Each structure stands twice: as C-alpha cells, then as structure tokens.
Amino acid sequence: MASLTPARALLMLTTGLTCLLMAGGALIGALLGGGLVALGAAVCAGLVGMVGALIVRRRTMAHFAMAQRQAGQRGYAEGIAHGVLIHV
C-alpha cells in the first residue's frame, strides 16, 4: 500500500497557508474599515487561498505519483542487477 505521508503533509501545509491568508485578510479588513470589511476580506482571501491550494495540490500529487513510479522502476532494475551479480 502506498504511503500517504506526502499527501497528508501537503494537505496540512495548504490548509495552514489558507488559514493564514484568511487571518491576514481579516486583519487588513479590520484596519481598513471595521467588522464587515474584515469579514469580506477574510472570505475573499480564504477563497483565493483555497483555489490556489487546489491547483497546487493537483500538480504536486501528479509529481509525487511520477516520482513514485520512477523509484519503483529504478528499484526493480537494481534488484535484477543484484540478482544477476549474485548468480555470476
């Protein structure tokens, strides 16, 4: 079974960055115009962060899958070479 550690790490990272974007938007909105502006800025910043996180996550997971396939192919080739060396 494939390890989900890269996927979990990426999910935690993008979630944290989105939360930071929302907090930053709320702070900037609160400084500029009060509570309603803070809410609007936080929602907008959160949506932008979430869309960006989804785009990055999709590309990164494709990269992880390709790297995992390449590692499996290299490992298989090294195993065959080691078996041949032992038999010689």
Side-chain angles (χ1 to χ4, degrees):
M1 185 169 143
S3 173
L4 295 177
T5 303
R8 288 182 186 152
L10 183 64
L11 178 66
M12 293 169 86
L13 176 69
T14 55
T15 303
L17 289 175
T18 302
C19 289
L20 284 173
L21 276 173
M22 285 184 72
L27 286 173
I28 291 172
L31 288 174
L32 293 178
L36 191 58
V37 176
L39 179 64
V43 168
C44 289
L47 287 175
V48 168
M50 188 170 48
V51 169
L54 290 174
I55 291 170
V56 167
R57 180 175 171 80
R58 194 170 184 195
R59 290 181 62 189
T60 304
M61 292 309 293
H63 176 70
F64 285 154
M66 183 181 65
Q68 191 174 21
R69 281 193 304 272
Q70 289 176 352
Q73 290 169 352
R74 282 193 307 264
Y76 181 75
E78 288 179 10
I80 294 286
H82 187 69
V84 168
L85 182 63
I86 288 175
H87 284 98
V88 169

